[in-house]
Amino acid sequence: GDVAVLVPAAGAGVRLGPGGPKALRLLGGEPLLVHAVRRLAAATSVHTVVVAAPAADVIAVRELLAPVAPVTVVPGGAERQASVAAALAAVPVGPEIVLVHDAARALTPPELVESVAAAVRSGHDAVIPVLPVVDTVKEVGAGERVLGTVDRSALRAVQTPQGFRRSVLSTAHAAATDPLTDDAGLVEKLGVPVVCVPGSEYALKITRPFDLALAEHLLTVGG
Ligand code: CTP
Ligand code: MG
């Protein structure tokens, strides 16, 4: 394998409601992070996995993941971007392709990991998995008044894993000023082209209780 995967898993999970850090919340009796790391490790290109865990849970997460796959666990930061930067700093010399993958996308199929890695390997500096936007999207101003309707055909909903040539991701993080919600956004600011590949509905981000219920169902029917 020529790929390192960084797994930001240090978030609180506020939108999921009370119950502890989201990556450690249970899905089918196992933490979301275990599901995510097991699927990453099943992708044959993956050589190294570095998890950014909540600082208070680093040792517990090491013990949790030891039977799942060989992983490095580091303390995350206050923002997702800081967690990714902490994980990136722990990647050993070797892998020249680096993927960044949310622990919250626990049911992401190994095939999607391989397809993003393959697109980077084929020569793209930055690759993101996307889905078409299905809802009509409107821009709204003060007082919830509609300002206009956005052309949906030009929009994409963005998932992870996002894949990068290692040097490009390092440069993007070193140049970062304001925190963004994804890594491709930092690369865009460098003016480096970012290309899209087809995402997967199974790579949904478990954000709200509805998403966790959906993931439980998908797991039951063989997700
Ligand atoms: N994440 C992280 N470090 C942070 C914040 C987020 O590593 N300081 C990770 C989360 O653990 C998650 C991924 O980034 O795997 C995507 O973030 P999100 O879905 O927003 O998770 P949370 O921040 O935990 O959820 P919320 O925003 O509802 O609190
Ligand atoms: Mg968050």
Side-chain angles (χ1 to χ4, degrees):
D2 55 355
V3 174
V5 188
L6 317 180
V7 184
V14 171
R15 288 170 289 178
L16 201 51
K22 181 160 73 181
L24 301 179
R25 297 282 292 269
L26 300 183
L27 166 62
E30 293 184 300
L32 294 183
L33 180 59
V34 168
H35 288 280
V37 168
R38 186 182 294 129
R39 285 162 179 75
L40 289 171
T44 49
S45 290
V46 174
H47 175 271
T48 303
V49 176
V50 182
V51 173
D57 301 309
V58 168
I59 292 167
V61 166
R62 253 177 221 143
E63 288 171 4
L64 179 69
L65 294 177
V68 180
V71 300
T72 301
V73 183
V74 301
E79 305 274 357
R80 181 187 181 281
Q81 192 170 302
S83 296
V84 173
L88 182 59
V91 177
V93 173
E96 289 305 321
I97 296 173
V98 178
L99 271 47
V100 184
H101 184 51
D102 295 327
R105 298 184 190 272
L107 297 183
T108 300
E111 293 76 16
L112 183 62
V113 178
E114 289 297 346
S115 109
V116 170
V120 178
R121 200 175 291 121
S122 79
H124 296 295
D125 281 341
V127 176
I128 59 174
V130 304
L131 291 178
V133 173
V134 295
D135 292 306
T136 297
V137 177
K138 298 203 189 277
E139 190 181 356
V140 176
E144 286 298 286
R145 186 187 158 131
V146 171
L147 299 174
T149 304
V150 182
D151 175 15
R152 184 176 72 189
S153 68
L155 299 180
R156 304 289 182 271
V158 177
Q159 304 180 320
T160 75
Q162 300 188 348
F164 307 93
R165 185 163 312 290
R166 182 178 183 161
S167 58
V168 168
L169 185 64
S170 298
T171 304
H173 270 268
T177 48
D178 303 320
L180 298 181
T181 54
D182 81 340
D183 301 280
L186 299 176
V187 170
E188 290 156 33
K189 288 190 169 185
L190 298 179
V192 171
V194 176
V195 304
C196 301
V197 297
S200 165
E201 293 193 285
Y202 286 92
L204 81 151
K205 185 159 71 70
I206 297 168
T207 304
R208 293 168 293 220
F210 183 89
D211 307 318
L212 188 57
L214 175 58
E216 290 280 2
H217 173 73
L218 294 172
L219 197 62
T220 305
V221 299

